[in-house]
Amino acid sequence: MKLSTCVTGGALLASLSPSAAFSPSLPRRAILTKSSSNASFSAVGRRSSRLPVSSYQSTGLIDVTQSNNQRDVYTMEQWAAQYGMQKAPGVDLYSEDGADWQLVTQAPIAAGSTVIYVPSSIVLGSNNIAMEMGNALTQAETALVAMEQGLAERLPLFRLMVKILAEWDAGADSPYFPWLNSLPKQFYNGVSMTDACFECLPPYASIVSMNERNAYSRFVNAVRKGFVPLSQNTINDDRVVKWAYNVALTRFHEVWEPTRQKFIAPMADMVSLFSYIYYNNSVSCPLIHSSNRYTTYQPKLNHSAEPNCEILFDAEGNCYVQALFDIQPGSLLTVSYGDPTNPTPLFAKYGFLTSDCKTIFCKAIHLDSQIKELGYEYQDLLFQYETGEIAPKVWDIFLYELLQTNDPNSAGQFYQACKTNDEATKQQYHDHYFQYTLEALKNHVYSILGDVDQLNMKAQSYDLATHPRVPVILAHNNLVRDTFSRTAVLLDQMG
């Protein structure tokens, strides 16, 4: 992607000029300090009641309630540079509207070179947070894990959220204040959705999005147990706690060696995070205004299925953004956020759809038991976006369910063929029962298409002023509709 103009400190980027790759000069470890009276994890002044919206600024706290507030990214950049952050020549912050920001290079970058270096002194790491906060955090984590099976896997994320809350609680006394003040205030993901939003999503998207919100609810309960010494105003303010959770959820990068932990590296977290993207670049999406009249929204680039950068951390926690291949001037810097073959989890987690989506899950969650029995994964069960083509294992699960219902003995034989990769036997069953499997698939596809039309009608009845996530919901549903429509054409051609 080439960019002709962009916002950089109020002026257009300078003309392109070549630059060499750089090797970061490692600075002496900078130590973050703050006023001892307002240390991030010591008890701060207690306020008698929840702060009204108008009071945030007067108390030195960041107002996270105003989604249209401009993000002060340049102060953050200067702050990070003071602590040793370095960029390759020609790498600049970029925005089309002053609200959504990313990084662009105006000079060539060679494959394998370091694009951004962020020292560990300003990197937030879940393991370091655990050591910093000690027993108080441990008690909160114990309470969290006891709430629901599987929450132990989310402890690194919980630590990041608590740390962000602690730094927000410290207000302008927090050394991380410039970074916090550069972050987006509004999110469009599953955590931010309401029950009305979930009612407008197909079942699979609704379940995945609700799972994110349910995990957030458990985090809130753990924080409010009283173990972590945050002010009551902070932990009782739903808007602040949800904002902190979303910041942690959407900006972390995970490492597994030498131990599993999550990191957030200020400035490196700008590499590919726009607030949201609605739909494929070739398709426009209806955007609902409060007047209930429609206009056309043209989407922005975001996460890429073919990123040009990767984010790495060394053993000391220093962060390196490195080029995966030669990057041309005018290119946005992008990283991968996850499996691009199934965009719904990305939609639920980040609140956007990939700009280069090629496949989607077949939405056969009613066959979840068959999927698990055969040992299949959702990324095996795909429809092609551009052609509607059906992955072979989708045929397997529909046939397996038919056999289980009508011929258990044959179901057992087909199961063995699937588990042992006996393609010849599988094909015999598919040939014999093709018309039945085809009919089952048709019923499923047309059922989803009918549901999506009804869901879109419901979403379009909402007022954007009170339901700002309607456009991204419609975009998701339209992606499903367009893909399934192409699949329906293929199925009809088969008989």
Side-chain angles (χ1 to χ4, degrees):
M1 177 178 178
K2 301 294 183 179
L3 303 175
S4 57
T5 61
C6 66
V7 180
T8 69
L12 299 181
L13 287 175
S15 59
L16 305 183
S17 60
S19 67
F22 86 106
S23 298
S25 55
L26 302 183
R28 288 181 299 131
R29 177 181 291 268
I31 304 299
L32 296 181
T33 59
K34 56 167 64 70
S35 168
S36 59
S37 63
N38 260 332
S40 68
F41 215 70
S42 60
V44 299
R46 307 285 177 172
R47 292 176 282 275
S48 59
S49 62
R50 181 179 300 181
L51 291 170
V53 172
S54 60
S55 297
Y56 285 111
Q57 188 173 3
S58 64
T59 57
L61 299 174
I62 295 168
D63 186 355
V64 302
T65 67
Q66 301 299 313
S67 60
N68 59 350
N69 280 359
Q70 291 293 303
R71 298 167 56 186
D72 189 1
V73 298
Y74 291 109
T75 300
M76 179 276 296
E77 182 181 22
Q78 295 169 2
W79 163 81
Q82 290 174 354
Y83 281 101
M85 183 278 299
Q86 299 172 52
K87 301 183 302 177
V91 173
D92 290 292
L93 289 161
Y94 163 79
S95 177
E96 293 178 348
D97 56 11
D100 295 325
W101 291 87
Q102 204 179 20
L103 289 166
V104 62
T105 179
Q106 294 298 321
I109 298 176
S113 60
T114 300
V115 181
I116 296 173
Y117 164 78
V118 184
S120 60
S121 56
I122 59 171
V123 172
L124 299 178
S126 55
N127 288 356
N128 287 340
I129 293 169
M131 290 188 290
E132 172 192 345
M133 297 185 171
N135 187 58
L137 183 60
T138 300
Q139 289 178 289
E141 291 178 353
T142 300
L144 175 65
V145 171
M147 293 178 191
E148 185 176 297
Q149 186 176 5
L151 285 175
E153 295 294 318
R154 289 183 173 251
L155 288 181
L157 180 64
F158 180 72
R159 295 169 185 174
L160 289 174
M161 185 195 80
V162 172
K163 175 65 172 176
I164 291 166
L165 282 173
E167 297 302 335
W168 184 90
D169 206 10
D173 289 325
S174 167
Y176 285 97
F177 183 88
W179 174 66
L180 296 174
N181 202 35
S182 74
L183 297 170
K185 308 301 190 296
Q186 188 169 37
F187 295 84
Y188 296 81
N189 56 3
V191 175
S192 303
M193 291 182 183
T194 64
D195 289 341
C197 295
F198 297 141
E199 292 174 359
C200 297
L201 289 169
Y204 174 58
S206 180
I207 290 171
V208 175
S209 298
M210 288 180 67
N211 285 343
E212 286 293 348
R213 197 180 71 170
N214 290 340
Y216 160 73
S217 297
R218 304 295 185 270
F219 278 32
V220 173
N221 290 338
V223 167
R224 290 176 179 169
K225 292 290 185 182
F227 299 116
V228 289
L230 299 168
S231 71
Q232 289 300 309
N233 293 305
T234 295
I235 64 177
N236 288 330
D237 193 324
D238 295 333
R239 297 161 298 186
V240 171
V241 178
K242 184 173 290 186
W243 172 78
Y245 180 91
N246 274 326
V247 169
L249 179 68
T250 60
R251 305 187 89 82
F252 78 79
H253 290 273
E254 192 161 28
V255 300
W256 296 86
E257 297 292 341
T259 60
R260 174 178 177 255
Q261 60 176 316
K262 287 179 168 63
F263 290 107
I264 300 179
M267 196 63 183
D269 64 349
M270 301 292 291
V271 170
S272 64
L273 186 60
F274 281 172
S275 294
Y276 51 87
I277 180 169
Y278 288 150
Y279 207 27
N280 186 284
N281 282 333
S282 63
V283 182
S284 61
C285 156
L287 175 63
I288 300 180
H289 290 288
S290 57
S291 62
N292 283 330
R293 292 186 297 180
Y294 295 87
T295 185
T296 297
Y297 178 86
Q298 293 296 334
K300 306 187 230 357
L301 179 68
N302 198 299
H303 148 104
S304 176
E306 297 180 358
N308 55 25
C309 293
E310 63 178 342
I311 296 180
L312 305 171
F313 294 86
D314 64 20
E316 294 184 354
N318 299 302
C319 175
Y320 302 83
V321 179
Q322 292 191 337
L324 291 170
F325 48 80
D326 292 344
I327 304 175
Q328 298 304 310
S331 299
L332 292 173
L333 304 181
T334 60
V335 296
S336 174
Y337 278 10
D339 180 9
T341 65
N342 186 10
T344 298
L346 294 176
F347 161 80
K349 181 176 180 180
Y350 295 105
F352 63 70
L353 295 169
T354 57
S355 62
D356 43 10
C357 176
K358 294 179 174 62
T359 57
I360 65 171
F361 171 55
C362 68
K363 312 300 180 188
I365 59 172
H366 65 291
L367 300 181
D368 191 57
S369 62
Q370 286 78 18
I371 295 170
K372 291 177 179 177
E373 287 176 33
L374 295 178
Y376 291 172
E377 302 290 342
Y378 282 4
Q379 59 261 35
D380 301 324
L381 307 168
L382 304 174
F383 291 164
Q384 294 287 332
Y385 167 71
E386 294 182 350
T387 66
E389 185 178 352
I390 304 165
K393 290 183 177 180
V394 175
W395 293 94
D396 288 351
I397 61 171
F398 275 86
L399 174 55
Y400 185 46
E401 192 272 338
L402 286 169
L403 293 174
Q404 285 181 316
T405 302
N406 299 283
D407 189 348
N409 183 58
S410 293
Q413 295 175 13
F414 184 73
Y415 169 85
Q416 288 299 325
C418 291
K419 299 296 285 186
T420 60
N421 296 317
D422 184 352
E423 296 299 329
T425 300
K426 284 173 58 178
Q427 191 59 50
Q428 290 176 1
Y429 276 99
H430 278 301
D431 291 344
H432 187 73
Y433 293 99
F434 174 73
Q435 289 300 326
Y436 298 99
T437 312
L438 176 63
E439 190 65 25
L441 260 172
K442 281 185 178 181
N443 290 339
H444 169 67
V445 168
Y446 280 107
S447 174
I448 293 293
L449 287 172
D451 290 344
V452 167
D453 286 342
Q454 293 298 316
L455 294 170
N456 277 357
M457 289 178 61
K458 185 177 184 67
Q460 290 165 2
S461 71
Y462 292 164
D463 188 330
L464 186 61
T466 54
H467 294 85
R469 293 159 190 88
V470 162
V472 72
I473 291 171
L474 286 173
H476 174 273
N477 292 355
N478 290 342
L479 174 64
V480 174
R481 181 201 61 203
D482 293 348
T483 306
F484 274 60
S485 294
R486 296 183 180 101
T487 299
V489 170
L490 288 182
L491 292 172
D492 286 341
Q493 292 172 350
M494 294 178 187

